[in-house]
Amino acid sequence: MSSARTAEAAVEVVDLVKRYGPTVAVNGLTFHAARGAVTAVLGPNGAGKTTTIETCEGFRRPDSGTVRVLGRDPGSDGRELTARVGVMLQAGGIYPGARCAEMLRLMASLAANPLDPADLLDKLGLAPVATTTFRRLSGGQQQRLALAMAIVGRPELVFLDEPTAGLDPQARRATWDLIADLRRDGVTVVLTTHYMEEAERLADAVVIVDAGQVVASGSPYELTSGGAERQLRFRAPSGLDLDRLLSALPVGSIGKESPSGHYVLEGEISPAFLASVTAWCASHGVLADDLKVEQRTLEDVFLELTGRGLRT
Amino acid sequence: MTTTAPGTFTPQPGRAPLTRMITAQAAMELRITLRRGESVLLTLIIPVLMLFGLARVDVIDVPGSRIAFFTPGILALAIMSTAFTGQAIATGFERQYGVLKRLGASPLPRWGLLTAKTAAVVVLEIGQIAVLSVVALLLGWSPRGSFFTVVLLVLLGTTVFSALALLLAGTLRAEATLAAANLIWFVFLVSGGVLFPLSRFSPAVRDLLRWLPLPALADGMRAVLRDGALLPRHDVAVLVVWAAVLVTATASTFRWE
Ligand SMILES: Nc1ncnc2c1ncn2[C@@H]1O[C@H](COP(=O)(O)OP(=O)(O)OP(=O)(O)O)[C@@H](O)[C@H]1O
Ligand SMILES: [Mg+2]
């Protein structure tokens, strides 16, 4: 870890360990979030994302390792950080009986130079429910209010724990636009998400976490291009003889059928490769459907690294 | 969905002046409390109805003037309802819903949150005392005693009951806090010297009850407002001791999450 990097990082987590009784929630996790950048922490359920973020927010104390936020220790300098850091919890944090605008105004009145709460509600599509109590807001509206509360105080760093969970496509896009605007204006954003598309679109840096450890990190481009050729995907009746197909393709090509009837071929995918595949299909009377050549997605990387098993 | 002008979100962090933060938080607490029907019922409607009923209907025998006996006790009960029962239940759920946690990450310091809560409680109490006093005066009440001693008793009672509220809310689950707060309210209603004098109990029980907070507050209020006592020493001492014990216990056990 170079000192230049230290000076730039808004968040530095080094060898963080956090246990809950016998459960090791975070197991030697290290990552940095650069100032002014959007960093996405990606991982399956129970990976330790919330635990890590909440340690950075000062809610939880590390069992070992260090956490520095804007150069401070959130455990002991938490008071100083509260005015500089915006927080969106994964859930809760709002009086069920508080009206939407009222809650946002409260958060605004705690800050020295807040944004205009009414403008922010408008920006997030909450103006029509401004006088609705929190308990009567829909799940997505509740999420957006929590997001608005995190940024209304004009913080220099925001932690957003699953900012788009449960949002409809329009609301998700509005949130993405908002995060892009935060980045444009120099706010550092650290968010967690399960959505690869979101990380790919929004983040300057992605940290993939599984079982409390970082399994990969880098820019979305580095992660998706790392070691990866392109893929060719198609659908066809299940049970094609893949070995025979691969023998008709350049050496080193690989392929698999997963799930049944869905085929993925990887290799040096050239026009000739494509022609060989379609020719092989034609000679076997197979109609390849939905055939496409694509870059490995972050989702592929994610599933490769974290496996396909369901998480507890 | 509108797009924002560049620079809209340019960081300008900073905390508001303390007084603004605490005022805003206290106003929020107050509005939330007044919006909950059950808390208005508990803190205002029930005490007013009790005052009417007990003063007018001769079901419970008390020595001397009925209104002079019941008003101080009902004032004490109203203070307990606000500072203890209402506050314990509200704070328990705030903790469960993560409100306390979220506010812990805001620029409002924790002691500022407690100050705001106390301010909201005191404002509510002033309202309760005003309404109950007017009703009592209309029913023929003629209070005696020192205004400052009453204020002292109210402040001590508020400290004791707020600390007890936060002790429960800060350690038990919200549902358990709800149950315990209602149970304690009811037990004190019956045994606190509000509905009938402590002299109805056997001497042993009475001596025990005199060391508990609500009987002390009710008895102290009665000693001043009915009998014109300058300083009900025993009651004040009991409240001071409870305040010291409960504030210490609460400060060392309260959990925000
Ligand atoms: N307060 C707690 N007490 C006990 N165990 C906990 C606590 N918080 C988290 N855990 C456990 O720690 C592990 C990591 O949880 P965490 O909430 O950090 O995961 P996450 O990555 O945020 O998951 P999700 O995507 O589902 O939000 C899980 O196994 C969880 O059960
Ligand atoms: Mg989580």
Side-chain angles (χ1 to χ4, degrees):
Chain A
M1 181 179 69
S2 73
S3 57
R5 173 145 196 206
T6 310
E8 279 166 31
V11 178
E12 287 176 86
V13 174
V14 179
D15 291 334
L16 176 66
V17 175
K18 181 70 192 175
R19 294 184 197 87
Y20 301 107
T23 314
V24 185
V26 176
N27 190 9
L29 188 143
T30 299
F31 82 96
H32 300 258
R35 278 184 204 263
V38 176
T39 303
V41 179
L42 196 66
N45 289 141
K49 302 182 296 296
T50 297
T51 303
T52 303
I53 296 289
E54 293 203 345
T55 309
C56 296
E57 292 162 347
F59 291 126
R60 309 184 191 200
R61 296 295 159 92
D63 288 321
S64 68
T66 56
V67 174
R68 307 288 290 175
V69 173
L70 301 173
R72 314 267 162 175
D73 174 355
S76 56
D77 300 333
R79 294 298 326 143
E80 208 247 86
L81 288 173
T82 52
R84 302 172 64 192
V85 176
V87 166
M88 175 183 180
L89 301 176
Q90 183 168 0
I94 300 173
Y95 297 94
R99 301 186 201 286
C100 184
E102 179 182 49
M103 192 67 207
L104 191 59
R105 278 199 303 270
L106 172 66
M107 297 314 289
S109 61
L110 303 180
N113 313 293
L115 298 171
D116 178 28
D119 283 353
L120 193 52
L121 288 180
D122 202 34
K123 164 97 181 143
L124 284 166
L126 291 172
V129 292
T131 57
T132 305
T133 53
F134 182 71
R135 72 163 71 81
R136 295 188 205 288
L137 294 177
S138 77
Q141 291 164 343
Q142 295 184 340
Q143 285 282 99
R144 279 178 274 161
L145 175 57
L147 173 63
M149 286 165 57
I151 62 176
V152 73
R154 306 186 77 170
E156 51 189 286
L157 164 66
V158 288
F159 289 107
L160 309 175
D161 199 353
E162 298 197 21
T164 62
L167 295 189
D168 64 30
Q170 287 82 359
R172 171 165 304 156
R173 248 149 250 275
T175 302
W176 286 349
D177 288 347
L178 185 83
I179 292 170
D181 289 356
L182 290 171
R183 180 179 179 281
R184 175 200 67 199
D185 290 341
V187 180
T188 306
V189 179
V190 178
L191 58 86
T192 71
T193 180
H194 298 130
Y195 301 112
M196 322 308 138
E197 192 195 352
E198 183 161 296
E200 227 161 351
R201 261 181 90 125
L202 284 180
D204 299 291
V206 177
V207 180
I208 301 183
V209 177
D210 190 25
Q213 290 177 316
V214 174
V215 290
S217 63
S219 69
Y221 177 79
E222 284 164 354
L223 286 171
T224 52
S225 60
E229 299 94 288
R230 290 183 213 241
Q231 297 179 330
L232 190 150
R233 292 171 180 271
F234 63 95
R235 285 192 299 154
S238 58
L240 292 189
D241 189 342
L242 270 178
D243 288 339
R244 297 274 297 279
L245 169 56
L246 289 171
S247 68
L249 297 173
V251 185
S253 305
I254 53 169
K256 65 180 179 212
E257 179 181 356
S258 157
S260 167
H262 291 72
Y263 297 87
V264 187
L265 302 175
E266 282 180 13
E268 193 59 53
I269 296 180
S270 58
F273 185 103
L274 189 59
S276 310
V277 174
T278 48
W280 187 86
C281 287
S283 67
H284 289 75
V286 172
L287 179 62
D289 205 3
D290 217 357
L291 184 145
K292 52 185 181 248
V293 175
E294 52 184 35
Q295 185 83 34
R296 210 161 67 133
T297 65
L298 204 47
E299 179 144 5
D300 299 321
V301 178
F302 181 78
L303 290 173
E304 227 164 74
L305 289 166
T306 61
R308 286 177 184 270
L310 264 187
R311 302 311 161 119
T312 48
Chain B
M1 182 57 221
T2 50
T3 48
T4 57
T8 309
F9 300 111
T10 303
Q12 274 190 48
R15 63 187 73 234
L18 263 171
T19 46
R20 187 165 101 209
M21 290 200 274
I22 292 174
T23 315
Q25 181 64 34
M28 184 74 166
E29 303 264 344
L30 208 53
R31 284 196 304 269
I32 298 273
T33 308
L34 292 175
R35 210 169 282 161
R36 280 186 299 124
E38 68 274 18
S39 84
V40 176
L41 184 72
L42 179 80
T43 55
L44 205 60
I45 298 177
I46 289 178
V48 168
L49 291 179
M50 280 177 62
L51 195 56
F52 263 112
L54 292 168
R56 284 294 171 85
V57 188
D58 220 352
V59 273
I60 298 167
D61 237 8
V62 295
S65 152
R66 301 185 65 77
I67 192 76
F69 176 85
F70 287 120
T71 305
I74 288 174
L75 287 172
L77 181 75
I79 286 161
M80 181 178 79
S81 302
T82 294
F84 170 64
T85 319
Q87 183 165 225
I89 295 168
T91 309
F93 282 101
E94 283 161 20
R95 191 164 72 101
Q96 173 170 313
Y97 292 132
V99 177
L100 299 182
K101 175 178 176 179
R102 178 66 187 80
L103 289 172
S106 80
L108 179 69
R110 286 181 169 178
W111 66 263
L113 176 60
L114 293 182
T115 307
K117 281 188 168 297
T118 308
V121 164
V122 169
V123 169
L124 280 174
E125 287 176 350
I126 291 171
Q128 288 175 298
I129 292 171
V131 170
L132 287 169
S133 300
V134 168
V135 172
L137 290 170
L138 293 175
L139 291 168
W141 184 45
S142 53
R144 303 176 54 191
S146 149
F147 176 75
F148 294 103
T149 314
V150 172
V151 171
L152 174 73
L153 286 166
V154 169
L155 289 181
L156 279 174
T158 302
T159 310
V160 170
F161 288 123
S162 292
L164 185 59
L166 298 180
L167 182 65
L168 292 188
T171 48
L172 302 181
R173 280 184 309 108
E175 291 78 9
T177 301
L178 175 79
N182 281 319
L183 185 70
I184 291 174
W185 184 86
F186 185 74
V187 168
F188 272 146
L189 171 69
V190 176
S191 66
V194 176
L195 280 182
F196 40 80
L198 292 185
S199 56
R200 292 283 191 89
F201 294 97
S202 72
V205 174
R206 185 170 60 220
D207 283 344
L208 181 77
L209 290 176
R210 289 185 65 220
W211 291 96
L212 296 180
L214 187 70
L217 181 61
D219 187 70
M221 296 283 274
R222 195 172 297 123
V224 178
L225 289 167
R226 185 185 66 176
D227 308 331
L230 207 57
L231 189 72
R233 282 168 207 274
H234 170 82
D235 300 322
V236 169
V238 168
L239 291 173
V240 167
V241 171
W242 274 108
V245 170
L246 290 171
V247 167
T248 312
T250 304
S252 59
T253 59
F254 194 83
R255 284 180 289 115
W256 297 81
E257 276 190 50

